[in-house]
């Protein structure tokens, strides 16, 4: 083993040991049961999503030494079926000059030599400490034969020294490798840059593929581009745009534009920028192509600006969303919906059938809220309740997270005004219209993911309930609700070693 490899091996081992130590103190009251999270410590963006050696590989930005963001590593889990996960060793640690202050986000692809190629941003603060004097960011490469132990190859894209220059996403078309990443131009505009390569090591500048028409956007984090049908979807996370009514409420928001693109051409934008998800906690999504051709996306649930109670006391912070399959509808809206595999986690179904909930009623559906899934279909043509509400994690003191349909605003909401713990606030996605309201709500110990009418919209938020009996109730307001179907399934854990 070379000296550099030995140093890296020691640093990933040290991080692994730190995470194992912190895990012993982890409090599980809100720790995800069916979402990917680190055994302890902090996580943010999903990284390196790929299918390699017969398994789905899911890496993520990780700080193993505390539940807060710090020098970034890549943590790692893997799965054969996307619903049964095992933990893998910490994969990448800062160990060379180019990534001295962090192994930032990036992607992974399988080379013709059968190795996994992980491209990531090497991050250095000019003052070795914080952003005050700017940073130097370069794109780096590490490869692995088994997907677990990585060998670093150093910098592959140096760049012109722009102050934001990161998050490489690599893909291949007709034998040519393409890398895109986000940049802040000299005149402070958010851009996506593209490089190409034939050998995966030597990269050449191709073009500035995209500049956000919004002049407030000064950097586009975690860009991703992929075809759906005959169109191309460009996902990015603009830094800078201000809050805009229901849109861009979070300090960090993830969205997309749809356009036309072909190798050697500029990207032609056909739609406005739209949010992928309207919740409090959805950021830095990354996609990959599954072996069967599905385009699958994981997002990060967390926040850089508003901490969670789990960080303060429970030894962990941040989780990924469930994997979601992406598609486009005829209006070029990006549909995102849990992959079919999630249904394998279902336990015994409780059916409530069809019924009418009368004026101003609360109907308790569950006395306890285990990790579970609720499927609710409502006939809006005969429903006049002002809101179709579900009180989730409802405790004796009245605290809960309120999820449902607001007929006045014509939106699907997650209202955390009465949240037991953590950040409050209200988020709401547009309802697509029509008489059929169909909600699918995935409830984990500390989160809700709401999918509207098959995934035309989604709302993803943390929700940290109080201790004690936590019920779920359907609630009508100044009118009645006509339910066509209401099914609830408990959901099993994704952690192989915790299955009964
Ligand atoms: C987005 C991001 C990326 C960066 C990483 C650092 O959430 O800021 O741009 O690579 O997180 O952890």
């Amino acid at each position: 083993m070379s000296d550099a490899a030995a140093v890296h091996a020691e640093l990933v081992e040290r991080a692994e040991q730190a995470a194992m130590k912190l895990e012993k103190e982890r409090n599980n009251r809100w720790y995800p049961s069916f979402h990917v999270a680190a055994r302890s410590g902090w996580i943010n963006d999903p990284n390196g999503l790929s299918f390699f050696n017969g398994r789905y590989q899911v890496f993520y930005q990780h700080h193993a030494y505390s539940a807060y963001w710090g020098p970034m590593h890549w943590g790692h889990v893997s799965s054969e079926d996307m619903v049964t996960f095992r933990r893998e060793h910490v994969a990448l640690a800062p160990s060379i000059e180019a990534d001295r202050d962090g192994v930032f986000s990036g992607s992974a692809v399988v080379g013709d030599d059968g190795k996994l190629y992980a491209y990531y941003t090497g991050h250095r603060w000019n003052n070795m400490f914080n952003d005050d004097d700017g940073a130097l960011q370069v794109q780096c490469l590490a490869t692995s034969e088994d997907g677990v132990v990585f060998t670093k190859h150093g910098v592959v894209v140096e760049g012109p020294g722009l102050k934001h220059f990161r998050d490489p996403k690599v893909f291949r078309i007709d034998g040519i490798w393409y890398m895109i990443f986000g940049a802040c131009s000299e005149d402070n505009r958010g851009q996506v840059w593209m490089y190409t390569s034939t050998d995966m090591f030597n990269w050449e500048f191709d073009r500035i593929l995209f500049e956000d028409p919004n002049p407030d956007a000064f950097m586009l984090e975690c860009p991703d581009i992929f075809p759906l049908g005959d169109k191309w979807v460009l996902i990015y996370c603009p830094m800078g745009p201000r809050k805009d009514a229901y849109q861009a409420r979070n300090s960090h928001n993830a969205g997309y534009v749809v356009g036309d693109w072909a190798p050697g051409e500029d990207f032609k934008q056909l739609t406005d920028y739209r949010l992928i998800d309207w919740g409090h906690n959805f950021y830095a999504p990354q996609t990959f192509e599954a072996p069967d051709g599905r385009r699958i996306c994981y997002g990060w649930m967390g926040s850089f600006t508003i901490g969670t109670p789990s960080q303060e006391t429970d030894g962990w912070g941040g989780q990924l969303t469930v994997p979601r399959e992406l598609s486009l509808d005829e209006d070029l809206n990006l549909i995102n919906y849990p992959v079919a595999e999630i249904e394998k986690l279902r336990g015994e179904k409780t059916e409530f059938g069809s019924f009418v909930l009368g004026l101003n009623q609360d109907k308790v559906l569950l006395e306890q809220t285990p990790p579970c899934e609720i499927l609710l279909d409502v006939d809006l043509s005969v429903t006049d309740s002002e809101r179709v509400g579900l009180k989730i994690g409802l405790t004796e003191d009245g605290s809960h997270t309120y999820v449902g349909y607001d007929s006045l605003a014509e939106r699907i909401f997650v209202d955390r005004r009465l949240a037991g713990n953590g950040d409050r606030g209200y988020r709401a996605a547009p309802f697509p219209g029509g008489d059929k309201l169909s909600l699918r709500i995935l409830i984990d110990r500390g989160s809700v993911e709401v999918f509207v009418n098959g995934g035309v919209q989604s709302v993803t938020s943390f929700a940290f309930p109080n201790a004690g009996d936590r019920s779920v109730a359907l609630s009508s307001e100044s009118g009645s609700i006509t339910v066509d179907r209401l099914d609830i399934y408990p959901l099993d854990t994704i952690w192989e070693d915790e299955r009964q």
Side-chain angles (χ1 to χ4, degrees):
M1 201 188 274
S2 69
D3 286 356
V7 168
H8 187 244
E10 193 188 321
L11 289 165
V12 287
E13 185 53 27
R14 209 184 280 173
E16 184 71 20
Q17 293 302 328
M20 284 168 84
K21 188 156 170 254
L22 197 57
E23 186 184 19
K24 297 205 182 89
E25 293 150 34
R26 193 182 80 204
N27 184 330
N28 283 340
R29 59 189 159 164
W30 302 308
Y31 186 78
S33 167
F34 63 89
H35 290 88
V36 169
R39 57 171 84 245
S40 66
W42 161 273
I43 78 167
N44 53 289
D45 318 353
N47 291 158
L49 303 178
S50 47
F51 187 80
F52 176 67
N53 271 356
R55 299 180 70 84
Y56 293 96
Q57 310 291 339
V58 177
F59 301 85
Y60 45 80
Q61 289 283 278
H62 184 33
H63 186 232
Y65 295 92
S66 82
Y68 295 85
W69 192 89
M72 280 291 115
H73 294 55
W74 277 26
H76 185 198
V77 295
S78 76
S79 171
E80 244 174 47
D81 60 1
M82 266 193 291
V83 283
T84 312
F85 279 88
R86 80 174 177 224
R87 297 192 190 281
E88 304 284 3
H89 201 284
V90 171
L92 292 168
S95 70
I96 56 174
E97 176 56 20
D99 63 23
R100 185 184 71 203
D101 298 321
V103 175
F104 273 16
S105 283
S107 55
V109 284
V110 184
D112 287 335
D113 56 4
K115 291 185 188 164
L116 189 65
Y117 283 65
Y119 294 91
Y120 68 91
T121 296
H123 172 74
R124 267 170 281 185
W125 276 309
N126 290 335
N127 62 8
M128 318 216 15
F129 178 63
N130 65 20
D131 236 1
D132 290 355
D133 299 317
L136 180 58
Q137 300 184 329
V138 290
Q139 318 318 333
C140 299
L141 170 65
T143 57
S144 175
E145 279 171 26
D146 59 2
V148 177
V149 178
F150 283 84
T151 305
K152 288 187 179 175
H153 301 278
V155 181
V156 292
V157 173
E158 201 76 56
L162 295 171
K163 69 176 166 188
H164 297 280
F165 197 72
R166 60 177 176 273
D167 306 338
K169 181 77 198 323
V170 172
F171 57 99
R172 176 155 66 169
I173 304 174
D174 296 336
I176 309 281
W177 294 96
Y178 295 83
M179 177 194 291
I180 62 162
F181 50 85
C184 173
S185 69
E186 267 161 12
D187 57 352
N188 243 16
R189 297 295 294 259
Q191 298 178 334
V192 176
W193 287 38
M194 177 173 264
Y195 279 62
T196 58
S197 173
T198 49
D199 65 3
M200 307 186 90
F201 286 85
N202 295 293
W203 292 85
E204 280 183 16
F205 176 77
D206 181 71
R207 71 193 58 232
I208 294 170
L209 183 72
F210 177 76
E211 179 172 286
D212 194 333
N214 182 348
D216 291 338
F218 63 85
M219 164 65 186
L220 309 182
E221 292 191 308
C222 301
D224 194 349
I225 189 167
F226 49 88
L228 285 177
D230 64 349
K231 295 287 173 255
W232 284 78
V233 180
L234 177 62
I235 286 181
Y236 56 94
C237 301
M239 294 171 79
R242 285 169 287 227
K243 290 187 178 24
D244 172 14
Y246 287 98
Q247 189 143 323
R249 301 293 318 166
N250 304 328
S251 60
H252 292 77
N253 301 279
Y256 68 98
V257 293
V258 181
D260 287 320
W261 182 71
E265 288 180 11
D266 292 334
F267 180 80
K268 286 183 216 72
Q269 184 180 343
L270 298 173
T271 67
D272 287 339
Y273 173 79
R274 297 168 182 162
L275 290 186
I276 299 170
D277 183 289
W278 295 72
H280 295 84
N281 306 102
F282 181 92
Y283 196 62
Q286 185 177 96
T287 75
F288 70 104
E289 191 183 325
D292 61 7
R294 284 178 298 169
R295 179 59 54 173
I296 293 170
C297 164
Y298 280 87
W300 166 49
M301 294 189 65
S303 168
F304 285 122
T305 50
I306 301 180
T308 62
S310 75
Q311 285 172 276
E312 284 160 29
T313 50
D314 295 0
W316 67 278
Q319 66 189 47
L320 302 187
T321 63
V322 292
R324 303 172 180 187
E325 185 179 349
L326 301 181
S327 56
L328 280 181
D329 73 9
E330 62 275 15
D331 299 321
L332 303 183
N333 291 309
L334 190 62
I335 311 294
N336 82 105
Y337 203 59
V339 294
E341 285 87 335
I342 294 293
E343 293 175 24
K344 292 192 199 157
L345 295 173
R346 287 175 174 172
E348 203 181 319
K349 170 158 78 168
T350 306
E351 280 182 81
F352 293 82
S354 58
F355 62 93
V356 175
L357 185 69
L359 182 76
N360 300 327
Q361 303 271 306
D362 273 355
K363 178 183 168 72
V364 174
L365 305 171
L366 293 175
E367 299 286 350
Q368 299 289 342
T369 316
C372 66
E373 177 180 356
I374 300 180
L375 296 148
L376 171 66
D377 292 347
V378 171
D379 185 348
L380 293 178
S381 70
V382 282
T383 288
D384 57 1
S385 176
E386 293 185 356
R387 288 189 284 190
V388 175
L390 283 155
K391 293 177 179 170
I392 292 171
L394 175 63
T395 44
E396 218 182 345
D397 57 5
S399 72
H400 62 271
T401 296
Y402 200 37
V403 170
Y405 167 67
D406 180 333
S407 69
L408 280 71
E410 295 185 341
R411 285 187 173 256
I412 304 299
F413 63 87
V414 171
D415 184 348
R416 303 190 306 195
R417 179 172 50 110
L418 295 176
N421 299 274
D423 189 28
R424 298 177 181 166
Y426 173 91
R427 294 288 181 277
F431 179 65
D435 287 338
K436 190 171 157 60
L437 166 68
S438 176
L439 296 181
R440 180 169 177 196
I441 306 167
L442 303 186
I443 305 169
D444 207 337
R445 295 195 192 116
S447 64
V448 292
E449 282 162 289
V450 185
F451 298 91
V452 186
N453 289 20
V456 245
Q457 303 293 357
S458 63
V459 192
T460 297
S461 297
F462 279 139
F464 299 116
N466 271 340
D469 289 340
R470 299 162 173 173
S471 59
V472 174
L474 180 67
S475 186
S476 63
E477 297 176 35
S478 195
S480 67
I481 300 173
T482 299
V483 171
D484 283 343
R485 171 181 74 148
L486 207 178
D487 296 337
I488 302 185
Y489 297 91
L491 293 181
D492 201 355
T493 180
I494 55 168
W495 300 111
E496 203 166 62
D497 54 358
E498 285 171 24
R499 290 252 171 93
Q500 312 270 311

